[in-house]
Amino acid sequence: MERELDIDRLLKNFGSYIRLERGLSANTREAYLRDIRRLLLWLADGSDRPEGRIPLREVTLEHLRLFLGDLNDLGIAVRTRARIIASIRSFFSYLEEDRYLPTDPSALLESPRVGLHLPEVLTLEEVDAMIESIDQTKAEYQRDRAMMEVLYGCGLRVSELITLEISGIYPRQGFLSVTGKGDKQRIVPISDSALEEIEIWMYDRSRLKIKPGDENILFLNRRGGRLTRQRVFQIVCGLAEEAGIKRTISPHTLRHSFATHLLEGGANLRAIQQMLGHESIATTQIYLHLDSSALRADILAYHPRNRKTSGHNRPEDL
């Protein structure tokens, strides 16, 4: 008779296994357990799969590849994905060895080649250094500060940043309405600290002579027109240089860093995908009528810069 799979007990026993039999360090054990919890959540969340929830006993190699494909879509660093594969292999090897499962579905799982060229990922300290390197004597200081907070803190594409509209900011709810690829709308949680930076920028913005047609665009250049992709690229690369970062980066590097930092912090994979716009949550009109507090709490709880908030109240209006 097959034993019932008690997930909590499995994780506890797996933790003991990798400590006693594998001799892994405390930090590595914590990372492995976090990876496996994320996989189990993905298996349990069948909202976008025809087969729905996938029981642990029925996991196949193809399921594991689909899970890793979702991680790849997020732009997760190759070393992080290699570690997650190692976690999965260890977990299913343990399940087979201890006869929880008859076979190991991860046996043929391929590891990424670490030598492949993949997008750079900044550390939190490097992101902080870029923001702190913004020249306070320049008229664009507050705009660039708010822009960096939104670009990194919300994981936006450059095209989404430069078309972000004031009417799409909902400070009381703590969300942005973003228009992504294919003109699809999605809702993105935004932190209180980023909202504060936007509120200060709005004061500076009010003194610009705004070009017709751009009255609702949030981030403008000194002539009152919307920013170009190239200008945002120049700003980000300039800040990286000022911060002493020698690697080649782009605005998209901040998006990859956002996803990697959330994943490493323990955020739900599905929530990260929704934030990045790989799956549409809903239109603004519909979504604002839903109970979306859980999604926002999940994202903001794991975002490293949100642990540094100043404690000011969220602006009530812009």
Side-chain angles (χ1 to χ4, degrees), residues 117-245:
H117 175 71
L118 288 168
E120 293 282 356
V121 175
L122 298 169
T123 66
L124 176 60
E125 290 72 23
E126 287 174 325
V127 175
D128 287 339
M130 289 176 65
I131 293 175
E132 293 307 314
S133 69
I134 300 172
D135 189 346
Q136 297 186 36
T137 65
K138 291 187 176 180
E140 297 83 12
Y141 166 74
Q142 187 56 44
R143 181 204 65 188
D144 291 353
R145 189 174 181 89
M147 192 171 69
M148 283 290 293
E149 287 282 359
V150 173
L151 192 60
Y152 167 67
C154 298
L156 300 189
R157 302 179 179 94
V158 175
S159 59
E160 295 167 349
L161 180 83
I162 62 178
T163 58
L164 190 59
E165 296 182 341
I166 298 171
S167 59
I169 304 172
Y170 300 87
R172 289 188 180 132
Q173 293 87 354
F175 287 92
L176 300 178
S177 172
V178 176
T179 302
K181 289 183 177 180
D183 289 331
K184 292 182 179 178
Q185 263 191 330
R186 72 180 187 277
I187 298 299
V188 177
I190 183 171
S191 68
D192 293 346
S193 58
L195 284 168
E196 289 172 0
E197 298 294 348
I198 290 175
E199 184 181 35
I200 299 171
W201 155 240
M202 288 297 293
Y203 174 77
D204 292 347
R205 183 186 180 282
S206 66
R207 294 181 289 176
L208 296 174
K209 184 178 180 181
I210 300 174
K211 291 184 177 180
D214 290 338
E215 293 88 354
N216 197 28
I217 298 298
L218 177 60
F219 294 113
L220 303 173
N221 58 36
R222 67 178 66 185
R223 295 176 300 280
R226 66 182 67 195
L227 293 167
T228 63
R229 293 169 183 255
Q230 183 61 26
R231 182 57 187 141
V232 175
F233 180 88
Q234 291 171 350
I235 291 169
V236 170
C237 292
L239 292 178
E241 184 177 355
E242 288 295 323
I245 299 171

Side-chain angles (χ1 to χ4, degrees), residues 3 10 13 93-101:
R3 285 180 285 177
L10 282 180
N13 291 345
S93 175
Y94 158 72
L95 293 180
E96 182 186 32
E97 183 179 323
D98 220 33
R99 299 185 178 179
Y100 285 103
L101 296 180

